[in-house]
Amino acid sequence: MSTFDILIATGFSVLVFALGLSFSKSGSNLKSFFAAGGAVPWWISGLSLFMSFFSVGTFVVWGSIAYGAGLVAVTIQTTMSIAGFIVGFYIAPKWNRARVLTAAEFVSERLGADTQKFYSIIFLLISLFSAGAFLYPVGKIIEVTTGIPLFHAIIALGFLIILYTAVGGLWAVLVTDVLQFVVLSAAVIIVVPLAFEYVGGISAFINNAPEGFFSLTNSEYDWLFMAAFGFYNMVFIGGSWAYVQRYTSVKTAKDAKKVGWLFGSLYIVAPFIWMLPPMIFRVAQPGLSKVESEGAYLMLSQQVVPDGLMGLIIGAMIFATASSVNTTLNISASVFTNDIYKFFRREHTEKETMFVARLSTLAFGILAVCIALMVQSMGGIVEVAFSLAAITGTALFLPPLWALFSRNQTGRSVVAVTLLSLLVNGFCKFVLPSAFDMKLDRSPEMLIGVLVPLSLLLAVEIKALLFKKANPQYLAYEDTQAKKGETKPSSVSEDQQNKYGNRIISLGILSVGLIITGLGLTASHSNSIVSLVGVTIFVIACVILYKSRAVNTNNNNS
């Protein structure tokens, strides 16, 4: 990158960091810190869910697959769209009606305190690996574009992410997610036509692509894998404790539905646009190794975008990928503070628990940085991401999610399903290759990860139907729900947080529009495309800001 790119990337990073820190006063209690007051606008929560999920490694993990296997990468991500719509129709509103702050709180009410403690401990352990796996692509992006060693990049960015998440809480995560969505949407719109021009046009790209490059599946990622991975995504989007926050932090079940629908809608179109650049780069620059292909998207961007814009793309990618780290750190701190610390210390003040919330965010962040530094020794990010999904995803999140709908599951049954599933999956992943020289391919590995917990849960349901015994835990849960009553209207402070959040989002998008427009006017090439995108973003920001002020004026008059 040029010096100008580095300055733009630094400037954008400072902007995002400042926006996150502007919410330092909003996290004055646990509900505002972990659920943003419980009345977040659905579109903000939906975009944040999209960004948190999308940034698990879109540019590194899926970009590497797109470079090597072509359209298969788009098919894999299309399963996420289907999963998002299913979550929107059935799972998200169910979480919202449960009227809980976290998924751990639901587990405690529905399945018992002992079950909640078990899942909290397992979740925290696995979250450390997840956050580390999310942080690794951030360092990889910086290493590819700036030449800064991966070790130093992970350490520096880990510090920044930890700081603004610990200070601002969930609102800091939500608002910066929306801003990153705007920047990255603008970036991909600009990069795609420039990438086609770089390779000689659409026809040249199609004619020179490798054989089978436009097939929907291949031997490694076949239709069985797609079905299993789609089911896993439904469980992960609907049951991951980090994502449950997006459904419980909106006001109504109808809003929670919209969160899932927005996610699914975005994933219909976005994967194809995202994957085109690394696919095009395969035609332009074939022969990259598996590790080198993790940077294919950025390598192409460096070749085609004008000075300054690359810096903005890098800054957005860094914070977008870091969004998953923010989300995981926030929910991990929530679980530790609400469900572990409070259990051992019954007498506590609000000030004390807020201190613990921020301190635990710091601690989990440091541990995540350590995990990120070990990703390469574990076989690379693609191997770590899919192995983590196959071994732990469905085994950990499906049993409590199942209990959200079932009267028959008990604390013992869900714990037994999770433990047995983890043992079977771990045996297939680690023991079979070392002891019996049998390494499972990607498809059977994912299929086993899904079918084992699913079969065990179905067995519990069949047993309950045969014996027809009432479940005391579910009856107790119904009593708890009845005592909660109807959802209370949002308080004045919650409405003020929403207004403040909308204003910060508008100003952030306005700043991005001005930056991109300025870059378009000074660019050495592609001025019209860049300027048009920048002006469009600026106008959208002005409309949002105007409508936000109009709503505030009407509310004040009433």
Side-chain angles (χ1 to χ4, degrees), residues 10-46:
T10 303
F12 178 78
S13 300
V14 169
L15 173 64
V16 174
F17 192 63
L19 290 175
L21 292 181
S22 72
F23 289 92
S24 59
K25 293 182 180 179
S26 71
S28 57
N29 57 62
L30 290 184
K31 188 174 183 181
S32 64
F33 190 81
F34 291 128
V40 176
W42 66 267
W43 64 272
I44 293 179
S45 197

Side-chain angles (χ1 to χ4, degrees), residues 241-260:
W241 291 13
Y243 301 146
V244 167
Q245 275 184 309
R246 302 304 186 267
Y247 318 130
T248 60
S249 61
V250 295
K251 192 173 181 181
T252 66
K254 186 176 181 180
D255 286 342
K257 281 187 175 184
K258 293 177 182 177
V259 171

Side-chain angles (χ1 to χ4, degrees), residues 53-65 76 80 126 129-137 220-221 225 229 232-233 236 290 294 321 324 371 374-376 378-394 397 429-430 442 445-446:
F53 194 81
F54 139 88
S55 37
V56 170
T58 299
F59 298 109
V60 178
V61 178
W62 307 123
S64 175
I65 295 173
I76 295 173
M80 302 169 189
I126 293 175
F129 284 91
S130 299
F134 298 157
L135 186 56
Y136 170 83
E220 185 175 8
Y221 303 104
F225 171 86
F229 193 60
Y232 157 79
N233 279 314
F236 191 59
K290 195 170 184 179
E294 292 178 353
T321 311
S324 293
I371 297 295
M374 296 188 291
V375 165
Q376 285 189 326
M378 298 177 187
I381 188 61
V382 174
E383 181 65 27
V384 171
F386 278 119
S387 295
L388 195 64
I391 295 172
T392 68
T394 310
F397 298 122
K429 178 65 181 177
F430 303 111
R442 192 79 70 196
E445 181 183 66
M446 185 63 67

Side-chain angles (χ1 to χ4, degrees), residues 165-337:
T165 305
V167 171
L170 184 59
W171 257 118
V173 177
L174 293 172
V175 171
T176 53
D177 278 350
V178 174
L179 184 59
Q180 292 149 21
F181 170 79
V182 172
V183 175
L184 287 173
S185 296
V188 296
I189 290 171
I190 293 169
V191 168
V192 169
L194 297 180
F196 277 123
E197 184 181 344
Y198 174 73
V199 82
I202 297 176
S203 58
F205 165 61
I206 295 173
N207 294 333
N208 295 317
E211 185 179 352
F213 206 56
F214 300 110
S215 299
L216 297 178
T217 62
N218 61 17
S219 58
E220 185 175 8
Y221 303 104
D222 57 19
W223 286 115
L224 276 178
F225 171 86
M226 299 300 175
F229 193 60
F231 185 86
Y232 157 79
N233 279 314
M234 182 195 70
V235 172
F236 191 59
I237 299 166
S240 171
W241 291 13
Y243 301 146
V244 167
Q245 275 184 309
R246 302 304 186 267
Y247 318 130
T248 60
S249 61
V250 295
K251 192 173 181 181
T252 66
K254 186 176 181 180
D255 286 342
K257 281 187 175 184
K258 293 177 182 177
V259 171
W261 294 344
L262 178 58
F263 177 93
S265 299
L266 290 170
Y267 255 104
I268 291 176
V269 180
F272 184 75
I273 300 173
W274 290 336
M275 294 301 101
L276 273 174
M279 289 171 65
I280 291 170
F281 197 63
R282 169 68 183 277
V283 174
Q285 299 287 340
L288 294 183
S289 68
K290 195 170 184 179
V291 174
E292 289 173 334
S293 67
E294 292 178 353
Y297 193 105
L298 294 170
M299 291 177 189
L300 176 68
S301 298
Q302 285 179 306
Q303 297 292 326
V304 301
V305 301
D307 276 354
L309 186 60
M310 188 66 207
L312 188 64
I313 293 172
I314 295 302
M317 283 186 178
I318 287 170
F319 277 94
T321 311
S323 172
S324 293
V325 184
N326 305 338
T327 300
T328 304
L329 292 182
N330 185 262
I331 191 61
S332 297
S334 172
V335 170
F336 179 82
T337 305

Side-chain angles (χ1 to χ4, degrees), residues 1 140-148 298 302 310 314:
M1 286 200 307
K140 189 70 179 180
I141 287 169
I142 295 178
E143 182 187 42
V144 169
T145 55
T146 67
I148 296 174
L298 294 170
Q302 285 179 306
M310 188 66 207
I314 295 302

Side-chain angles (χ1 to χ4, degrees), residues 4 8 307 511-523 527 530-531 534-535:
F4 187 45
I8 294 295
D307 276 354
S511 301
V512 170
L514 288 173
I515 292 171
I516 295 178
T517 302
L519 291 175
L521 294 174
T522 59
N527 305 68
V530 179
S531 299
V535 170

